[in-house]
Amino acid sequence: MTPAELRALGAGVLLANTYHLLLRPGPDVVRELGGLHRFMAWDGPLVTDSGGFQVFSLGFGLEHGVGKQIGMFPGESSENMPPRTRNQAPRLVRVDEDGATFTSHIDGSRQRLTPESSIAIQEALGADITLAFDEPTSPLHDADYTRQAMERTHRWARRCISSRQRSDLALYGIVQGGAFEDLRKASAQFIGGLPFDGVAIGGSLGKSKAEMHAVIEWSTPRLPPAWPRHLLGIGEPEDLFACVERGIDQFDCVAPTRLGRHGQVYTADGRLHMTSPELKEDPRPIQAECGCYTCATSFSRGYLRHLFAAHELLAYTLCSLHNLYFIQQLMRQIRDAIRADRLADLRDQFLSRYAAGLATA
Ligand SMILES: [Zn+2]
């Protein structure tokens, strides 16, 4: 996607991964090339995460079959999601009180991140919203380990605040505690009492969507009402409703573009698989009432299916564009519904049609 396309479909904020930028091309190169906004030619707001999630999850998740979004909830089926890469190196991350040492998944080099270096790197990158360095846990960690990681995350939160050099960038704290009620409540209470500008809810959100909802319900009432609340890595249409109703304001998720690249598109009637043989001669756009470039230009389902069959790169662009527009449009409708005090009506109306479509797909 180009920045102009993202602008046109209504995107307001982009997120960049500190872990990936640290390994390649390196924060010094980004700074030399004018900072992250100039580097990627995006003049709107940017978020960088702390790097913690990738440091801990790229090892642990690949080893134990738990990843962000894909297979994130080990208790639920993820059969609609594309297969995950399994032939990666085993976990090579060591955590100590000062920080985490890990092995680059690119060249095998030893790397280290601490609360101080994560903040320094994010400030060098120059995003508008930065995140505290944390130790996320997996749904497979027990209560004892999850508590240790949460307490370490709390000590690291204080160090992140102390090491801040740039007051012009917002800094969000991160609530941890896995799917344990006492830990989540304690973490929200603790992080909510520190001088952050907002908060992200991270780490394991449980083994099911129901547990994720509980995690949010334990956390949000204990956070300062004025803080924006970001839920890390979540963003399917049904999740947006469930999480907004429980007090979440911001989301980031790879699903719209990842699904788009695999030929799955969101519609008001559930997901449509663009590679299905039945679409070969289908003259209709993905969705008649959609205002995105792909649908407004009336690219037919048959044409899009052909692009996938021919491995033509435009297929990925057109489907990603539609999916991103769909999610942006849905969030716009959710914001409007909140202002008009009719969020429950919108949810019932949207989900009854969306779920019925999923059931018959
Ligand atoms: Zn569309």
Side-chain angles (χ1 to χ4, degrees), residues 21-22 24-35 39 120-121 124-125:
L21 291 168
L22 167 65
R24 191 169 53 189
D28 293 344
V29 173
V30 175
R31 193 172 35 204
E32 294 271 312
L33 292 173
F39 185 58
I121 292 164
L125 292 170

Side-chain angles (χ1 to χ4, degrees), residues 342-361:
R342 51 174 298 276
L343 181 59
D345 292 346
L346 176 69
R347 177 201 59 205
D348 294 346
Q349 186 192 334
F350 177 88
L351 290 182
S352 61
R353 190 175 163 189
Y354 190 76
L358 285 182
T360 56

Side-chain angles (χ1 to χ4, degrees), residues 266 285-296 318 321-323 325-326:
Y266 297 123
I286 296 170
Q287 176 127 52
E289 64 262 42
C290 177
C292 86
Y293 170 78
T294 305
C295 298
L318 292 176
L321 199 154
H322 166 86
N323 280 348
Y325 180 90
F326 185 92

